[in-house]
Amino acid sequence: MAVLIFISFVLIALYYKFLFNQTIKKIQNISTQQGLMIFDAKYKSAFQMGSNISFLNELWSGNSIKDVSHIELRAELVEARKLFRYQLGYGFLSFLSVVVNGFIMA
């Protein structure tokens, strides 16, 4: 039973990771086409954006999102923030399910 819970949390986290990556690609395309900076930085690729810790910190806090003037870009950033939080939340739940299972079995 615990294995099924763990696998389901991992699959949900991977699903949100996939959606997050798709949203990051949209954000990068919008910023490239419009010549916009995201959180005072220009990114050459979606991979560079997704692996930049300062971008992820700004996305997590959400304080800088309201400063973005482009409406479509702001909407995608809000969506990316939501997906990023879901992804990390379900990843944490999968870890927690292993820990709880360890305590139950001990």
Side-chain angles (χ1 to χ4, degrees):
M1 181 66 177
V3 173
L4 291 176
I5 293 171
F6 171 75
I7 290 173
S8 64
F9 283 146
V10 168
L11 289 176
I12 292 170
L14 288 174
Y15 172 72
Y16 282 121
K17 174 67 176 169
F18 173 75
L19 292 178
F20 176 73
N21 285 340
Q22 297 292 43
T23 307
I24 291 295
K25 287 178 186 176
K26 286 181 194 175
I27 291 169
Q28 201 276 329
N29 284 337
I30 292 169
S31 70
T32 302
Q33 290 173 356
Q34 303 291 326
L36 302 171
M37 294 182 71
I38 302 169
F39 306 140
D40 297 327
K42 265 200 189 245
Y43 299 98
K44 295 179 184 177
S45 67
F47 177 77
Q48 181 188 22
M49 185 184 304
S51 62
N52 187 342
I53 193 72
S54 63
F55 171 78
L56 295 176
N57 284 336
E58 291 290 333
L59 191 63
W60 181 266
S61 69
N63 295 333
S64 299
I65 293 176
K66 59 187 167 203
D67 297 335
V68 176
S69 60
H70 194 270
I71 295 171
E72 185 181 1
L73 183 61
R74 185 182 324 143
E76 291 297 330
L77 285 168
V78 168
E79 181 69 16
R81 180 175 188 244
K82 180 182 75 167
L83 293 172
F84 185 53
R85 287 182 166 219
Y86 285 162
Q87 164 195 337
L88 290 178
Y90 280 104
F92 178 71
L93 285 175
S94 66
F95 168 75
L96 193 61
S97 71
V98 171
V99 172
V100 169
N101 185 43
F103 280 126
I104 291 173
M105 293 299 188

